Amino acid sequence: MTGKLNGSCFYHLSYFYIDCAVNTWRSSCGTMPERLTEMLMDTWTPLIILWITVLPSIYMAPMNQSQVLPSGSSTGLKRLNEEQRVLHRSKRGWVWNQMFVLEEFSGPEPILVGRLHTDLDPGSSKIKYILSGDGAGTIFVINDKTGDIHAMKRLDREEKAEYTLTAQAVDRDTNQPLEPPSEFIIKVQDINDNAPEFVEGPYHATVPEMSVVGTFVTKVTATDADDPVYGNSAKLVYSILEGQPYFSIEPHTAIIKTALPNMDREAKEEYFVVIQAKDMGGHMGGLSGTTTVTITLTDVNDNPPKFAQSLYHFSVMEDVALGEPIGRVKANDLDIGENAKSSYDIIEGDGMDIFEITTDAQTQDGIIRVRKPLDFETKKSYTLKVEAANIHIDPRFLSGGPFKDTATVKIVVEDADEPPVFSSPTYLLEVHENAALNSVLGQVTAHDPDVSSSPIRFSIDRHTDLERQFNINAEDGKITLATPLDRETSTWHNITIVATETRNHSQVSRVPVAIKVLDVNDNAPEFASEHEAFLCENGKPGQVIQIVSAVDKDDPKNGHYFLYSLLPEMVNNPNFTIKKNEDNTLSILAKHSGFSRQKQEVYLLPIVISDSGTPPMSSTSTLTIRVCGCSSDGIVQSCNVEAYVLPIGLSMGALIAILACIILLLVIVVLFVTLRRHKNEPLIIKDDEDVRENIIRYDDEGGGEEDTEAFDIATLQNPDGINGFLPRKDIKPDLQFMPRQGLAPVPNGVDVDEFINVRLHEADNDPTAPPYDSIQIYGYEGKGSAAGSLSSLESSTSDSDQNFDYLSEWGPRFKRLGELYSVGESDKET
């Protein structure tokens, strides 16, 4: 037995949906438009045909007969066993897989989605249909008797496109499943209820001006939330509502292009375009959305620069400073940015070398400046032709003409009261250093370039002549010498001459004057430095002792040439002679050997030095020659006579080594003595007779009653041994004292206190006694103490009863101590 969902039922059910839609429209809005009725029929007719022809063949699913077999039927079991032996193919009982429901449907009654039916249902109402899954019981409700499924709520496909549910047939009485559960899908069928949207809008785009038709501008995109697979609800078509005839849009790609050629930015720069996107393929009844696109034309260099006027007039004073701007010209360009930049040049005129023009980067003006000085008396006006040309040229627009323009500039030079002008920009004067005072060194001249030609007065800027070595005639500009000159002190003198108009003292000019002092032979040559020569005792005859050179402060034109000679009385010097060298130096030679320091230690040799100037100058310099002892290879070792008293054969190096050894020994001895002096422990000579078995240490505190090592208490334990004399072994006294004769021997029963006092008195008067830091008393507290003994040992042997109850009255700090002593008393009584 098999169950089925009849295809004819779906057919009638679908047309029922159409009728419901039409009736709903009529009830709420009146008569439905004929076009809308046709759209409904066009939409549902293919679906009806699909349900009738396809669904029965697609959704027929075989079901195992054992799943629909009634329980307890022996005939069924026998038939099942036979079929298992024959191995026939089983059929499946469910014939459906998915259902459809129209979204946004809102009728007076819940919409019937479909019906579930099984072949096991004989119509006796013993089968109960159960529905579970997405929206079961809330969105979808099933009639448990008939299997009809109704949609209880209005559905939106954009929120949820499909629902997965599970259906099962059970026995109504026992709730036992008659068949296994089966899963199916309810799909929400889309209707056109969402308008297209431009998510990224509004848009901004740019396109170069003067573009050809069809130039790409931008692309827009709209989205539709409806189902793009089913029907035309999401099929969009684009169109332009505003912006024609300048731009066009492709209906399906939404690419915006230019529709007119040669759109000029200078005429209109910005366009506002409205784009519409309509679904349903653009047919009537479709929903639409719009967006705006602001399209801006970008600039291209399609306009040449143009001067605002063809002729410019400027005037300038003749004394204007070089580089100073005298006027501006402007060539306007309708373009912007880089396309509007221009360069200016002077292409013609009689002042091309006098003036220059540059471009102001901020304002794009042409600035005219002065390159060379102007002179009203020489030329009173100039005419220039300037040109402005674009820097960046677009070759596409060269056919429109040259991207440049020209203008004429006339410049008038006006007269100004100019300062005096010197005949030369600089002056050079020469004077000998022995020139006479008030002698004329030279002359400067200046004149007033103005037509009035004012007289000129000259003066020296004393800031450049602080020592006032020069004077000038204020009328004719002659420079004279005021103080003597010395070339060796200063070769050059730089002064500044000031020329001032007598009619206008503000008109002043300055000129530098360089005065060179020429040399005169007024200085005698002399040794370049203080020379001291050394002569070896074992030197040979003719040996060069020293080479000396001379200097001369003068500066002859042909250079220095010196003549050397000995004094007339020293010409026949028996010891030394001189020899002129080619390099203008002098060599001193020894005439013989055998010089001795003991005979003469120092020789003085006067030498006369003369120059070749006019008149010749000369001076006498004395060379000191010292006799020294030298080694065999001529190296000077000693130049003192005292060196002879040294032992023969003992060199200077050996003497230094001996001296170093002596110093080292002295340092070692000093260190040893210092270390001995800073030792903390004295040197103790141990002796077997020393009854004390410890080493005395100073600056060491005693260890209290438990310290039995610090002192020898043998004497205290044996008072009879006081007569024994134990000499100290750690020091050696300056005077040898006899052993101390104390009191008579004290028997063991004497008072120890008295005994200690006696020994203390002897120790204080005995210089040989060791300097003990303290006297240790062991087990003795003395007699006659008013406070009594505090020893716990002594109190323990006392027969007197003690009460410590008062400790508890001293406060919480003594509470524990009182408890301890109270316990002790109780234990004692026990």
Side-chain angles (χ1 to χ4, degrees):
M1 179 184 295
T2 60
K4 66 179 180 178
L5 186 62
N6 197 336
S8 62
C9 294
F10 281 105
Y11 179 84
H12 293 295
L13 182 60
S14 301
Y15 275 97
F16 169 74
Y17 290 160
I18 298 175
D19 293 338
C20 290
V22 174
N23 293 332
T24 303
W25 180 280
R26 289 175 179 174
S27 62
S28 60
C29 303
T31 303
M32 176 178 286
E34 182 180 355
R35 176 59 182 166
L36 183 57
T37 305
E38 292 177 359
M39 289 176 58
L40 290 173
M41 296 301 295
D42 293 341
T43 304
W44 282 96
T45 300
L47 181 60
I48 294 170
I49 297 173
L50 177 65
W51 281 345
I52 295 174
T53 60
V54 178
L55 289 178
S57 61
I58 294 178
Y59 299 128
M60 286 293 183
M63 183 176 180
N64 196 321
Q65 280 289 350
S66 62
Q67 298 175 354
V68 297
L69 192 65
S71 60
S73 175
S74 60
T75 305
L77 291 174
K78 184 184 294 182
R79 184 178 178 182
L80 177 61
N81 294 333
E82 292 177 356
E83 287 179 357
Q84 287 178 349
R85 290 194 295 269
V86 179
L87 298 177
H88 291 296
R89 182 178 66 85
S90 301
K91 296 182 179 179
R92 285 173 287 183
W94 293 100
V95 297
W96 52 275
N97 191 318
Q98 60 184 0
M99 297 180 182
F100 296 89
V101 61
L102 194 66
E103 72 167 332
E104 303 292 346
F105 180 79
S106 58
E109 298 293 335
I111 181 173
L112 178 63
V113 179
R115 175 177 294 175
L116 299 180
H117 184 71
T118 176
D119 291 343
L120 298 178
D121 187 1
S124 59
S125 301
K126 291 185 177 182
I127 296 178
K128 180 180 179 180
Y129 294 96
I130 299 175
L131 186 67
S132 62
D134 294 342
T138 56
I139 300 176
F140 302 100
V141 176
I142 188 170
N143 190 323
D144 60 352
K145 295 181 180 180
T146 63
D148 293 341
I149 301 175
H150 291 82
M152 306 303 293
K153 295 183 178 181
R154 187 175 180 177
L155 303 179
D156 188 358
R157 189 199 67 84
E158 286 70 40
E159 293 182 1
K160 190 173 180 64
E162 60 181 33
Y163 297 84
T164 303
L165 296 100
T166 302
Q168 190 174 23
V170 300
D171 187 273
R172 184 177 294 277
D173 298 331
T174 63
N175 283 333
Q176 294 296 323
L178 300 179
E179 293 177 354
S182 181
E183 187 179 88
F184 67 98
I185 297 174
I186 297 178
K187 290 188 176 181
V188 182
Q189 195 169 20
D190 182 53
I191 65 172
N192 188 21
D193 60 342
N194 292 280
E197 294 182 357
F198 291 91
V199 180
E200 299 178 358
Y203 295 86
H204 295 270
T206 59
V207 62
E209 64 172 332
M210 310 303 290
S211 297
V212 297
V213 175
T215 301
F216 174 83
V217 178
T218 187
K219 180 180 180 180
V220 297
T221 303
T223 58
D224 196 319
D226 293 326
D227 191 355
V229 178
Y230 175 76
N232 294 327
S233 298
K235 184 178 181 180
L236 304 180
V237 174
Y238 299 88
S239 60
I240 290 183
L241 300 183
E242 296 182 19
Q244 295 174 336
Y246 305 104
F247 301 95
S248 63
I249 187 171
E250 293 186 1
H252 301 290
T253 61
I255 296 177
I256 302 175
K257 299 180 180 179
T258 57
L260 282 181
N262 300 327
M263 286 188 290
D264 192 1
R265 185 199 64 82
E266 288 74 29
K268 185 177 181 180
E269 183 176 4
E270 192 173 78
Y271 294 85
F272 189 76
V273 181
V274 179
I275 305 296
Q276 181 191 61
K278 190 174 184 180
D279 59 12
M280 298 300 293
H283 292 95
M284 183 180 297
L287 303 178
S288 63
T290 60
T291 187
T292 58
V293 182
T294 303
I295 302 175
T296 304
L297 298 182
T298 58
D299 185 61
V300 297
N301 191 11
D302 58 339
N303 295 282
K306 186 71 175 177
F307 281 104
Q309 57 194 68
S310 60
L311 180 62
Y312 293 87
H313 292 274
F314 299 106
S315 61
V316 58
M317 299 296 294
E318 63 173 334
D319 59 350
V320 65
L322 298 182
E324 190 72 18
I326 63 173
R328 289 173 175 255
V329 295
K330 179 63 179 288
N332 298 314
D333 195 324
L334 297 178
D335 297 321
I336 59 175
E338 295 291 327
N339 298 320
K341 290 185 177 181
S342 301
S343 62
Y344 296 88
D345 292 301
I346 300 176
I347 57 177
E348 292 182 9
D350 53 359
M352 295 181 63
D353 59 338
I354 304 298
F355 302 95
E356 64 180 359
I357 186 170
T358 58
T359 303
D360 189 333
Q362 301 296 329
T363 62
Q364 292 297 307
D365 292 346
I367 304 175
I368 301 175
R369 303 176 187 272
V370 179
R371 292 178 58 186
K372 294 182 179 180
L374 302 176
D375 188 5
F376 172 80
E377 289 73 23
T378 304
K379 190 172 179 62
K380 296 178 175 60
S381 65
Y382 297 89
T383 301
L384 306 175
K385 186 175 183 180
V386 297
E387 178 186 74
N390 277 148
I391 299 176
H392 305 284
I393 298 177
D394 194 334
R396 296 177 298 171
F397 306 103
L398 285 177
S399 59
F403 284 80
K404 61 179 66 176
D405 194 19
T406 59
T408 302
V409 178
K410 288 190 175 181
I411 302 173
V412 177
V413 181
E414 298 181 357
D415 189 23
D417 190 3
E418 299 176 83
V421 177
F422 285 94
S423 59
S424 176
T426 59
Y427 291 88
L428 174 62
L429 305 178
E430 293 183 348
V431 57
H432 286 89
E433 60 179 327
N434 59 350
L437 297 180
N438 297 323
S439 60
V440 178
L441 308 183
Q443 184 179 12
V444 296
T445 58
H447 70 282
D448 184 4
D450 298 324
V451 178
S452 58
S453 185
S454 172
I456 306 298
R457 292 187 62 83
F458 299 95
S459 62
I460 297 178
D461 186 354
R462 291 303 176 182
H463 292 90
T464 61
D465 184 26
L466 298 176
E467 298 180 359
R468 296 182 175 271
Q469 291 184 294
F470 307 97
N471 291 325
I472 188 171
N473 190 305
E475 304 296 333
D476 56 11
K478 291 182 178 180
I479 301 173
T480 58
L481 183 62
T483 60
L485 299 176
D486 186 6
R487 189 202 65 84
E488 289 73 32
T489 302
S490 179
T491 304
W492 288 92
H493 297 272
N494 297 300
I495 62 175
T496 299
I497 303 300
V498 181
T500 306
E501 291 185 4
T502 57
R503 297 176 184 174
N504 187 359
H505 295 289
S506 62
Q507 298 299 325
V508 177
S509 296
R510 298 171 179 271
V511 66
V513 177
I515 301 174
K516 183 180 181 181
V517 181
L518 301 179
D519 183 54
V520 174
N521 191 24
D522 56 349
N523 291 279
E526 57 186 1
F527 280 152
S529 61
E530 294 294 334
H531 292 285
E532 184 177 13
F534 298 95
L535 174 62
C536 293
E537 291 180 317
N538 55 357
K540 300 179 180 180
Q543 182 179 357
V544 176
I545 301 172
Q546 183 71 35
I547 297 177
V548 297
S549 59
V551 293
D552 193 336
K553 295 180 180 180
D554 295 325
D555 186 18
K557 296 182 179 179
N558 298 326
H560 292 286
Y561 181 79
F562 300 118
L563 299 176
Y564 300 94
S565 62
L566 297 176
L567 290 177
E569 61 271 17
M570 297 292 293
V571 172
N572 296 322
N573 190 304
N575 299 315
F576 307 102
T577 185
I578 59 176
K579 177 184 178 182
K580 176 69 171 13
N581 300 322
E582 295 180 357
D583 58 352
N584 220 18
T585 60
L586 179 68
S587 297
I588 311 299
L589 291 83
K591 284 188 175 182
H592 61 84
S593 61
F595 290 92
S596 176
R597 283 177 286 174
Q598 292 181 340
K599 294 181 179 179
Q600 186 172 349
E601 182 182 1
V602 177
Y603 293 89
L604 300 178
L605 183 63
I607 299 175
V608 179
I609 309 173
S610 303
D611 59 18
S612 57
T614 302
M617 303 292 292
S618 64
S619 65
T620 302
S621 299
T622 301
L623 177 63
T624 301
I625 301 175
R626 189 177 298 276
V627 180
C628 301
C630 303
S631 61
S632 58
D633 52 357
I635 299 176
V636 177
Q637 292 184 345
S638 175
C639 297
N640 298 326
V641 179
E642 290 80 1
Y644 281 99
V645 302
L646 296 176
I648 299 176
L650 192 60
S651 63
M652 183 62 64
L655 292 176
I656 295 174
I658 293 173
L659 183 60
C661 292
I662 294 173
I663 295 174
L664 180 60
L665 290 175
L666 292 176
V667 170
I668 293 174
V669 171
V670 172
L671 290 176
F672 180 77
V673 173
T674 304
L675 291 175
R676 286 292 305 273
R677 184 172 298 176
H678 286 80
K679 277 189 176 182
N680 291 330
E681 298 179 6
L683 183 60
I684 298 176
I685 304 175
K686 191 171 182 180
D687 193 278
D688 294 338
E689 297 179 359
D690 190 357
V691 296
R692 293 167 299 155
E693 297 178 356
N694 61 316
I695 298 176
I696 303 301
R697 296 185 179 180
Y698 300 99
D699 296 332
D700 186 14
E701 296 182 359
E705 294 181 357
E706 297 180 358
D707 186 3
T708 59
E709 299 291 332
F711 297 96
D712 185 8
I713 62 174
T715 305
L716 294 178
Q717 295 176 351
N718 185 16
D720 296 335
I722 60 173
N723 293 330
F725 174 72
L726 299 176
R728 291 190 58 180
K729 303 298 183 179
D730 55 343
I731 62 173
K732 182 178 181 180
D734 295 335
L735 298 177
Q736 186 65 36
F737 288 86
M738 294 300 293
R740 293 174 298 186
Q741 299 296 330
L743 299 175
V746 181
N748 292 334
V750 299
D751 187 4
V752 180
D753 186 15
E754 182 180 357
F755 171 75
I756 292 176
N757 290 331
V758 173
R759 297 302 298 266
L760 178 60
H761 177 73
E762 294 178 356
D764 291 339
N765 297 320
D766 186 2
T768 62
Y772 292 127
D773 291 338
S774 63
I775 297 178
Q776 302 293 329
I777 300 176
Y778 299 89
Y780 181 75
E781 298 181 358
K783 293 181 178 181
S785 174
S789 176
L790 298 177
S791 174
S792 60
L793 297 176
E794 183 179 357
S795 62
S796 62
T797 59
S798 175
D799 296 334
S800 63
D801 295 332
Q802 297 185 17
N803 186 7
F804 298 96
D805 294 338
Y806 61 89
L807 294 177
S808 59
E809 299 176 358
W810 287 5
R813 296 185 179 180
F814 297 91
K815 182 178 180 180
R816 180 59 179 167
L817 184 61
E819 291 176 357
L820 293 175
Y821 277 90
S822 298
V823 172
E825 291 295 322
S826 62
D827 292 343
K828 181 177 180 181
E829 293 175 359
T830 303

